[in-house]
Amino acid sequence: MNAHTKSCLAQKLSHYAELDEASLESIARFEREEKDFAKNDEVYQEGDQNIHLYVVKKGWLYSYADLRDGRRQIVEIHHPGDIVGFPDIAFTERTTVLRAAEDVRLCPFPKKDLDEVFKRAPQLAALLFALAVRNQVIMIDFLRAIGRMSARERIAYLLLDLQARLRITNTTMTTTFRLPLNQTEISDVLGLTNVYVSRSFTALEKDGLIRRSNGSVEILEEDRMKRICDFSDRHTKLDTSWFPDGTPVEV
């Protein structure tokens, strides 16, 4: 098997564009080292030096910020194929905490390695830029959900968003996916109490919209769920018509 086919990152990015050799070589450099972390390990803390980015090879993680009174807000969930750290790229220190939701494997690479991407892999540079900008739109959608929707609608929105993301790197996935987040973690994503999370999941099940079993969720009525929370899938398509032709920049 070609080494590139084993890369979750290459698989994710290949969904949007046929990767050229320079892009594949850069991805291979990103993933040349691996490091394992156990469930609940903190990979880094707020205020740590911002030297590395991470490719998620296996497992789920989340980034969160603490409030002074001890509460926290989970601001992003990370899956295999994601690069963690782009929101902090302009800063010398971390602005959030990164914690493993389960046992994970990460590929750390120096932030400095991105300079070679901009010089020698313009296609990959454009793709990473486009995904980072797209994530800003996804964040706006999510803020709208948290700020204006009911607890039931927020849960529906989160489940649909997770499903859309996971389908990018798992083309055989249908309507069922693992959800290795506990009730408290889901509460901290959506700004809800545990009680409201529990009641909302129960309501969605009673309505025949979802089914839960052994840490997995099955979405039974996807179109109906989308109408309930006005969900727009921002993950499946990306405009690549403006991408460069892949010719490296002369240095």
Side-chain angles (χ1 to χ4, degrees):
M1 182 183 292
N2 188 298
H4 299 318
T5 64
K6 299 178 183 179
S7 166
C8 291
L9 177 58
Q11 185 177 346
K12 176 180 178 178
L13 298 181
S14 295
H15 174 84
Y16 302 106
E18 183 176 351
L19 299 178
D20 57 29
E21 194 59 33
S23 297
L24 291 170
E25 288 174 358
S26 293
I27 291 170
R29 284 196 297 273
F30 291 166
E31 298 181 335
R32 61 182 178 267
E33 296 182 16
E34 295 182 352
K35 190 171 182 179
D36 291 337
F37 295 87
K39 180 179 179 178
N40 293 324
D41 279 356
E42 289 187 351
V43 179
Y44 56 72
Q45 296 184 336
E46 183 179 356
D48 286 353
Q49 277 195 297
N50 184 18
I51 299 173
H52 290 90
L53 287 87
Y54 298 85
V55 176
V56 183
K57 197 89 166 183
K58 182 183 75 172
W60 288 38
L61 308 94
Y62 54 85
S63 298
Y64 71 91
D66 280 319
L67 302 179
R68 290 184 179 180
D69 61 5
R71 291 175 297 170
R72 70 177 179 180
Q73 177 67 50
I74 293 178
V75 296
E76 193 168 3
I77 299 169
H78 311 285
H79 306 130
D82 289 350
I83 296 181
V84 181
F86 272 122
D88 287 344
I89 200 76
F91 304 102
T92 58
E93 296 181 349
R94 303 288 186 183
T95 63
T96 58
V97 182
L98 179 63
R99 173 169 287 177
E102 58 182 342
D103 293 350
V104 299
R105 177 165 298 155
L106 302 179
C107 299
F109 65 93
K111 184 167 65 170
K112 183 68 170 63
D113 281 4
L114 291 174
D115 66 347
E116 288 298 311
V117 173
F118 285 102
K119 292 175 184 176
R120 306 190 183 282
Q123 181 205 44
L124 179 58
L127 189 48
L128 294 178
F129 174 77
L131 290 172
V133 173
R134 182 203 62 179
N135 284 348
Q136 296 303 306
V137 177
I138 292 172
M139 181 65 71
I140 292 170
D141 287 345
F142 205 72
L143 287 173
R144 177 174 59 91
I146 291 177
R148 297 300 178 191
M149 293 184 185
S150 68
R152 176 172 170 268
E153 291 166 341
R154 294 185 211 182
I155 295 289
Y157 191 96
L158 175 65
L159 296 177
L160 289 168
D161 187 71
L162 291 173
Q163 177 183 250
R165 288 181 62 186
L166 292 167
R167 280 175 171 167
I168 301 301
T169 52
N170 186 355
T171 55
T172 62
M173 193 183 93
T174 54
T175 58
T176 303
F177 58 92
R178 287 191 318 113
L179 184 60
L181 299 175
N182 61 40
Q183 195 163 279
T184 299
E185 289 164 340
I186 293 172
S187 299
D188 290 342
V189 173
L190 297 173
L192 297 169
T193 65
N194 284 5
V195 171
Y196 273 109
V197 169
S198 178
R199 287 177 180 173
S200 299
F201 267 111
T202 300
L204 291 171
E205 287 182 290
K206 286 183 176 179
D207 288 344
L209 293 168
I210 67 169
R211 181 186 295 124
R212 290 187 293 171
S213 177
N214 300 320
S216 294
V217 174
E218 181 181 4
I219 295 180
L220 302 173
E221 296 279 355
E222 185 172 340
D223 289 341
R224 190 172 152 216
M225 286 258 287
K226 288 179 178 179
R227 290 194 297 272
I228 285 172
C229 61
D230 194 25
F231 177 77
S232 296
D233 180 0
R234 309 289 190 187
H235 300 279
T236 303
K237 295 180 180 179
L238 198 68
D239 178 17
T240 61
S241 62
W242 55 274
F243 280 18
D245 61 10
T247 305
V249 177
E250 294 295 331
V251 293

